[in-house]
Amino acid sequence: MATEAKDQKYPFELPALEYDFDALEPVIDAETMRLHHDKHHQAYVDNLNKAVEQHRDLHGKTLSELLSGLDGVPEEVRGAVRNNGGGHINHSMFWTIMKSGGGKPSGDLATAIDGAFGSFDDFKTKFNDAGVKQFGSGWVFVTTASGGKLEIASQPNQDTPFHRGVEPLLGNDVWEHAYYLKYNNRRPDYLKAWWDTVDWDAIAQRYERLRAE
Ligand code: MN
């Protein structure tokens, strides 16, 4: 299995999609997936490599170390590492928490969602609301606080919870490139439909891992 983006060191690599471009139809169309993975994500990887290439002192650091220690990144490439490193780590998570067909959370994760938000429906409403309110480009994440308690946090651009040393449990991309071909300006429709592609088995595995760390 390829090294996860967070554990990669220079040179960084685009992870292969584990499903076909059309696997998430009709929620996410194949053309959006192809552009999003092969062009947008690839560009973040390429630009991250360009930024880090000349700075050999950064070559020994993992992507999660770079993003949680931006003060230690030379100023002339700090913005590029922040934006493109964030883009690489966020999208690498995003591809792995979706699958054809989706489903519903169960077990400890379902209990945690109910405990933090009231119910699965309330959780989705709050998450979608955060996505609609994110002005311009950004992400909506769910993170696990101490004790495994779940929290929703939206962040602008390609910023990521990794900046504060926190790995997100899940997240949805609300950049226009994630939905515009099919949903045009209707971001709320995309946010609502997205739940039908969410791979709750993959997220449950992440939850177990994050709680154990
Ligand atoms: Mn994106």
Side-chain angles (χ1 to χ4, degrees):
M1 193 176 149
T3 308
E4 273 193 72
K6 69 187 172 80
D7 299 321
Q8 286 180 7
K9 296 173 184 175
Y10 176 86
F12 301 95
E13 288 180 14
L14 181 71
L17 264 192
E18 306 218 334
Y19 40 78
D20 294 332
F21 292 129
D22 64 0
L24 307 180
E25 295 263 13
V27 177
I28 304 178
D29 57 286
E31 180 67 356
T32 293
M33 286 299 292
R34 190 182 67 74
L35 291 168
H36 202 174
H37 179 270
D38 287 9
K39 302 296 179 187
H40 290 280
H41 189 171
Q42 182 72 63
Y44 295 124
V45 172
D46 292 346
N47 289 324
L48 175 62
N49 282 331
K50 266 182 223 153
V52 172
E53 185 178 16
Q54 303 299 324
H55 295 273
R56 299 189 61 88
D57 51 318
L58 302 179
H59 292 190
K61 297 197 176 197
T62 65
L63 183 53
S64 104
E65 287 168 346
L66 287 171
L67 291 172
S68 63
L70 283 170
D71 289 351
V73 173
E75 202 175 347
E76 70 264 29
V77 293
R78 194 177 297 152
V81 170
R82 178 183 189 138
N83 293 329
N84 295 293
H88 181 27
I89 214 163
N90 287 337
H91 288 87
S92 296
M93 172 274 300
F94 186 56
W95 312 130
T96 66
I97 60 153
M98 298 187 290
K99 70 171 182 184
S100 182
K104 273 193 167 188
S106 60
D108 287 352
L109 180 54
T111 306
I113 288 172
D114 291 348
F117 306 107
S119 70
F120 183 50
D121 283 342
D122 287 337
F123 160 66
K124 289 192 286 188
T125 300
K126 286 170 185 161
F127 186 99
N128 291 354
D129 200 41
V132 170
K133 285 183 179 151
Q134 171 57 42
F135 182 76
S137 299
W139 288 76
V140 191
F141 296 104
V142 175
T143 58
T144 51
S146 59
K149 185 165 164 55
L150 302 176
E151 294 174 348
I152 294 170
S154 54
Q155 297 203 232
N157 306 314
Q158 292 297 348
D159 282 358
T160 170
F162 279 99
H163 291 321
R164 45 194 162 88
V166 172
E167 181 173 354
L169 175 65
L170 67 106
N172 192 5
D173 186 345
V174 297
W175 283 58
E176 285 185 345
H177 67 224
Y179 61 84
Y180 208 87
L181 289 183
K182 182 177 171 85
Y183 298 89
N184 306 137
N185 60 322
R186 300 184 302 279
R187 186 192 289 183
D189 292 352
Y190 159 69
L191 280 157
K192 270 186 212 144
W194 181 70
W195 297 106
D196 287 338
T197 70
V198 174
D199 183 350
W200 286 102
D201 294 330
I203 293 170
Q205 286 177 18
R206 294 175 67 85
Y207 185 61
E208 290 309 312
R209 180 168 59 75
L210 293 173
R211 274 204 310 176
E213 277 172 5

